[in-house]
């Protein structure tokens, strides 16, 4: 399993390099569980209060590059109140 971590503080675009995109596409096709976990700070939320963790699956990578954080995530949590056990269960497939 792989989790790619990203932070978006300006705008809604999630910056992924061509190499990162290819990695997610390749490993997703092989059935390897890979995710992109984005800490998103809306324009009026410079701290964790008001920010969110957005979890995307590898099969969403092309849409994520195109739509940014407007793409509905597979799961999400407020950044200052993450339910870490739920995130762990989601990543583990439970």
């Amino acid at each position: 399993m792989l989790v790619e971590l990203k932070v978006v503080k300006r705008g809604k675009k999630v910056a992924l390099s061509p190499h990162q995109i290819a990695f997610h596409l390749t490993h997703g096709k092989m059935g390897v569980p890979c995710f992109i976990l984005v800490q998103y700070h809306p324009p009026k939320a410079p701290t964790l209060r008001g920010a969110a963790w957005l979890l995307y699956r590898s099969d969403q990578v092309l849409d994520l590059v195109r739509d940014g954080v407007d793409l509905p995530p597979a799961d999400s949590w407020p950044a200052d109140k993450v339910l870490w056990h739920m995130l762990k269960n989601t990543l583990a497939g439970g």
Side-chain angles (χ1 to χ4, degrees):
M1 173 186 22
L2 172 98
V3 179
E4 182 94 37
L5 302 174
K6 293 294 186 177
V7 176
V8 175
K9 289 190 175 184
R10 293 193 178 117
K12 295 184 176 187
K13 180 179 171 143
V14 178
L16 291 163
S17 72
H19 172 76
Q20 290 168 318
I21 294 166
F23 181 94
H24 282 281
L25 291 173
T26 301
H27 286 77
K29 287 178 185 173
M30 293 181 349
V32 177
C34 297
F35 300 89
I36 303 159
L37 183 61
V38 178
Q39 187 183 67
Y40 173 57
H41 295 261
K44 296 185 179 184
T47 65
L48 286 183
R49 187 178 299 258
W53 285 104
L54 308 173
L55 182 68
Y56 297 94
R57 298 179 316 273
S58 282
D59 64 358
Q60 295 178 286
V61 70
L62 293 177
D63 294 330
L64 182 60
V65 170
R66 184 190 65 224
D67 300 339
V69 296
D70 285 336
L71 178 69
D75 215 335
S76 65
W77 301 268
D80 61 342
K81 298 177 184 169
V82 177
L83 301 173
W84 294 108
H85 67 284
M86 291 179 69
L87 173 59
K88 178 182 171 188
N89 286 341
T90 300
L91 295 174

